[in-house]
Amino acid sequence: MKFLLTAVLATTVSASVLPLKFNFGNNQPTLKAVNNCAGHENDVLTVIDGTTPDEICMPGNTTMNVHTRIAADMPMDLLIKMDLHKLTPFPMNVPCLNGVGSCEYEICPMIESMADSLCPSFPEYQPCGCPLMAGEMNLVDVVTPVQDMGPILGAVMEGKYQATATFYGESDKDTILGCVEFTFALKQCP
């Protein structure tokens, strides 16, 4: 689900890191919190408030909300390392397969590819691209597509997940700029 740019953009940016689409029909989803990782409350990028749907339908679209504070301009080579852990129906660490799952994601191309849904929520001072500038960014109702995984892979992917998105520059991977955690569930929907 590269949806987390996002979770900040982390919860909103990472949105496409998993191949998800949400279709809730007439039902309103329960929202789960998006939080800073323990010990990362004073990082350059922090989440003030954020929510993700409790359950995400495959295929479909999902809507996320995230309000972040960026204390200093982020680097042009900003990356997100997504760590996904499946919790049910069987626990497992989700590997990185063909650029999907527990992978490292480049933020700038994600912003460009999601410009239509992300950039209208950007504050006036933030261009639709990198670098992400210092200030507050409140992304509301950002829609992210969730692709159809087919009957076999979709059945395997169903379940509850815990995700951690860690932000850093490619040129300085030892300096963590932010860390965000959230949970969600994937479900095959007709």
Side-chain angles (χ1 to χ4, degrees):
M1 175 178 217
K2 291 182 181 177
F3 127 121
L4 233 57
L5 172 68
T6 219
V8 163
L9 220 182
T11 46
T12 297
V13 157
S14 292
S16 297
V17 167
L18 290 179
L20 309 178
K21 269 199 171 186
F22 298 64
N23 180 6
F24 297 106
N26 294 327
N27 299 322
Q28 290 299 318
T30 302
L31 297 178
K32 296 269 187 165
V34 176
N35 298 302
N36 296 303
C37 302
H40 290 270
E41 297 81 3
N42 296 311
D43 284 357
V44 174
L45 182 145
T46 56
V47 172
I48 297 169
D49 187 34
T51 57
T52 62
D54 181 44
E55 189 171 83
I56 299 170
C57 286
M58 302 179 288
N61 290 302
T62 186
T63 301
M64 295 199 57
N65 299 296
V66 64
H67 184 185
T68 60
R69 180 175 298 117
I70 301 173
D73 292 355
M74 301 297 265
M76 289 292 293
D77 61 352
L78 185 61
L79 300 174
I80 293 176
K81 170 60 173 119
M82 183 67 72
D83 288 310
L84 293 170
H85 303 279
K86 187 169 185 177
L87 306 174
T88 64
F90 52 87
M92 72 175 266
N93 293 330
V94 178
C96 179
L97 298 172
N98 297 322
V100 176
S102 295
C103 304
E104 196 174 67
Y105 299 93
E106 295 179 50
I107 297 297
C108 295
M110 289 173 66
I111 293 173
E112 292 170 10
S113 70
M114 297 174 64
D116 291 346
S117 60
L118 281 178
C119 296
S121 295
F122 283 9
E124 288 184 21
Y125 65 84
Q126 175 63 55
C128 186
C130 289
L132 295 176
M133 310 296 283
E136 287 191 16
M137 190 174 294
N138 192 12
L139 302 175
V140 178
D141 295 334
V142 175
V143 176
T144 302
V146 181
Q147 67 192 64
D148 187 349
M149 298 306 294
I152 296 172
L153 187 54
V156 172
M157 292 188 66
E158 275 191 320
K160 292 184 181 180
Y161 291 81
Q162 188 273 325
T164 302
T166 306
F167 296 82
Y168 48 83
E170 184 173 23
S171 57
D172 187 5
K173 293 185 177 188
D174 293 332
T175 301
I176 303 302
L177 301 171
C179 182
V180 178
E181 296 176 321
F182 56 99
T183 58
F184 62 93
L186 293 180
K187 180 179 179 178
Q188 285 187 295
C189 300

